[in-house]
Amino acid sequence: MLAAPLAPARSVTTRTAYWTRLLPALAVLACVTRVPSFVRPVWNPDEGYLAVQARLLAHGGHLYETVVDRKPPLVPWLYEAAFAVCGSGSLAPVRVLAVLAQTVTAVLLASLARRRWGDTAGRTAGVLYLLVSVGLNPEDAQAATFEVFILPATAGALWCADRGRWGAAGAAVACAFLTKQTGGAVLLPVAWLLHRAGTPGAGVLRLGAGFAVPVLCAALVTNPAGFLFWTVTGSAAYASFTGSELHVLGRGLANTALLAVACAGLIPPVVRSLRTARTARTGVADSADLWLWLAASAVAVTLGFHFFGHYYLQLTPPTALLATAALRASPRQRLSAAVFTSACCCALFVAWGLLVPRPELAHAQRLAAALAQRTAPADRVLVWGMHPETYWLARRTPATRYLTAGLLTNYSGGRDGLQVGEKYAVEGAWPVFRAELTAHAPALVVDDSRGKPYAPDRVPSLRRMLDARYEEVGTVDGAVLYARIPRG
């Protein structure tokens, strides 16, 4: 009789010891795999866009009014908070948050795998995820942008649903959606788990309320009409690849190949399990929610037909879990081989991030230096290009809410086909753009199009403004600088 209470205590002790060993290991591995993220001031234009947005918000800007983007508000707010605490001169604070996001994702996946398949599976899932999470072009995998912050929310949604916590699962789906719209794809496997649980009535209500409340709050805190337009209804032209088919499909194939290399240790055991009679015991075929998660994430990658590398990050959590399911009944040598192969591939991608030069970053830095030299800190400027990080590097305020030429020409996403030009801009953008340039005439205009389809010669309104009010004063790496002509 006296011995009975010892079992729960021993269970708690065992569980504590397990996480005491695993958590530090996953945290260290997350730090090691993301070392390259700290060696460059900015990795891609999304980081630059977010950094400029955060500065504007900190100085009284309003999201979806004076600061706009086709994204939900959570990541701009995250950048703004990091800058408020640590200053806006470096992206290191948000890079630390990205490491934390990867660690949390790995821990949630480890917890899911351990609950289903045991202690070894938990360790395997966490480690495999972190090893493959950097398996893309470093400008996609190492940047502290939307997809990195989607992942803990999506993993959290599955974690909550796996335990029947439907309200929390709905809130996690909402967080994923409010990070980036495609994060809402995780609702599909969550709904499957709810269906399988056999409690549809109350569960659906809690799941729906958990999702709706955060989304409605975000809309009300910002601007409901602006929130709806910029996150849902205003992106129809962006989600088309007419005239750019070969361009975007080539990018898609390249990024698919990169992720396949990163997953070289994971794909074979999954395929092997699907082909053998032991599939039912490995748990791969029975993991319908994980296959739905992978399928929904694949649709999210495809949505919009742009196939940027960072989109593919959504595939990594379900892939890691499916590989863990496949490996749990395999001989130990196969598990070791999968981890070793993944570690070797991870090392290649980390080395790539540390060693390969970034010519576009060097160009943006030289352009920012010229811009800072020719203007005063209080001057507003216009950079007509696709690299908003120039504003952030130069510490200058944009003359307009449209931080790239993409929103004004539909060049967003690297589109190089027919649907690029003034008439393909975001609805209502040009009247607002002209009014802003009248109210806050830029002291310097930088044409950074460098032969792209959105060059001023192909945008009549911009060309007329430059001819009437500005004169060419220099060039930087092919970018043309225009200074305002003094009024006599």
Side-chain angles (χ1 to χ4, degrees):
M1 295 292 292
L2 295 176
L6 295 179
R10 189 180 300 116
S11 176
V12 171
T13 301
T14 302
R15 185 165 59 249
T16 301
Y18 179 84
W19 290 111
T20 300
R21 291 191 296 268
L22 184 58
L23 284 174
L26 293 178
V28 169
L29 184 56
C31 291
V32 171
T33 57
R34 298 194 67 83
V35 163
S37 69
F38 294 91
V39 303
R40 301 183 191 280
V42 62
W43 273 100
N44 68 24
D46 280 354
E47 281 190 324
Y49 207 114
L50 286 162
V52 177
Q53 277 188 303
R55 275 185 179 165
L56 293 172
L57 290 173
H59 289 86
H62 300 285
L63 205 56
Y64 308 128
E65 295 180 23
T66 57
V67 184
V68 299
D69 191 14
R70 290 185 174 104
K71 299 292 190 302
L74 281 193
V75 181
W77 286 342
L78 185 68
Y79 268 63
E80 183 187 6
F83 284 178
V85 174
C86 303
S88 64
S90 170
L91 295 183
V94 290
R95 303 272 174 71
V96 171
L97 292 176
V99 173
L100 179 61
Q102 291 289 58
T103 303
V104 170
T105 304
V107 170
L108 289 169
L109 296 178
S111 180
L112 267 168
R114 186 185 185 224
R115 174 180 167 87
R116 295 186 180 193
W117 307 307
D119 289 357
T120 300
R123 290 188 289 268
T124 302
V127 169
L128 287 179
Y129 166 72
L130 290 173
L131 292 176
V132 302
S133 67
V134 294
L136 292 161
N137 188 319
E139 72 178 30
D140 295 308
Q142 296 291 343
T145 52
F146 301 95
E147 285 75 14
V148 169
F149 296 110
I150 282 177
L151 300 178
T154 56
L158 260 291
W159 189 93
C160 293
D162 195 53
R163 288 159 172 76
R165 301 174 185 177
W166 305 115
V173 175
C175 286
F177 173 80
L178 291 172
T179 301
K180 188 182 176 186
Q181 297 93 322
T182 55
V186 76
L187 183 60
L188 181 60
V190 168
W192 167 257
L193 287 174
L194 175 59
H195 168 73
R196 195 175 67 179
T199 55
V204 168
L205 289 176
R206 290 198 295 270
L207 179 64
F211 175 80
V213 170
V215 173
L216 289 175
C217 287
L220 293 172
V221 167
T222 55
N223 174 312
F227 176 88
L228 180 64
F229 178 81
W230 286 103
T231 62
V232 182
T233 63
S235 299
Y238 182 81
S240 167
F241 68 159
T242 303
S244 301
E245 293 87 347
L246 294 178
H247 179 71
V248 297
L249 289 176
R251 182 195 297 145
L253 291 173
N255 286 318
T256 300
L258 284 175
L259 187 59
V261 171
C263 295
L266 280 59
I267 296 173
V270 174
V271 173
R272 189 183 306 116
S273 293
L274 289 172
R275 288 180 175 176
T276 64
R278 294 169 56 196
T279 299
R281 292 205 305 273
T282 62
V284 176
D286 290 339
S287 301
D289 58 324
L290 303 183
W291 285 106
L292 285 172
W293 189 7
L294 182 63
S297 299
V299 171
V301 170
T302 306
L303 199 64
F305 305 107
H306 293 290
F307 301 106
F308 286 121
H310 45 89
Y311 291 7
Y312 286 73
L313 291 173
Q314 281 189 252
L315 299 172
T316 54
T319 301
L321 284 176
L322 286 168
T324 300
L327 288 165
R328 73 184 185 94
S330 299
R332 187 173 184 84
Q333 308 92 283
R334 287 183 178 173
L335 173 58
S336 299
V339 174
F340 177 76
T341 302
S342 299
C344 290
C345 294
C346 177
L348 290 175
F349 284 101
V350 170
W352 182 4
L354 291 171
L355 301 176
V356 174
R358 295 283 159 182
E360 284 299 322
L361 172 60
H363 168 78
Q365 289 173 317
R366 287 191 290 268
L367 195 57
L371 198 155
Q373 183 180 11
R374 290 178 175 272
T375 59
D379 287 339
R380 290 178 179 259
V381 299
L382 172 65
V383 178
W384 184 256
M386 298 301 295
H387 290 276
E389 62 266 29
T390 305
Y391 292 116
W392 180 72
L393 292 167
R395 291 182 172 271
R396 294 295 183 266
T397 302
T400 175
R401 69 189 66 188
Y402 306 112
L403 303 185
T404 70
L407 295 173
L408 293 158
T409 65
N410 197 39
Y411 186 76
S412 303
R415 182 175 284 102
D416 61 356
L418 301 175
Q419 293 188 353
V420 174
E422 195 170 330
K423 68 178 180 179
Y424 299 110
V426 170
E427 181 183 353
W430 273 93
V432 173
F433 180 62
R434 295 188 191 99
E436 289 178 330
L437 294 190
T438 300
H440 308 291
L444 194 74
V445 176
V446 179
D447 171 20
D448 195 29
S449 58
R450 292 176 284 164
K452 298 293 193 306
Y454 59 88
D457 288 343
R458 299 180 60 176
V459 184
S461 293
L462 181 62
R463 183 76 269 169
R464 287 194 295 269
M465 184 198 76
L466 291 175
D467 290 343
R469 294 188 283 173
Y470 290 83
E471 60 182 355
E472 183 178 333
V473 294
T475 61
V476 178
D477 297 339
V480 184
L481 279 59
Y482 296 88
R484 192 167 64 234
I485 298 173
R487 294 184 178 180

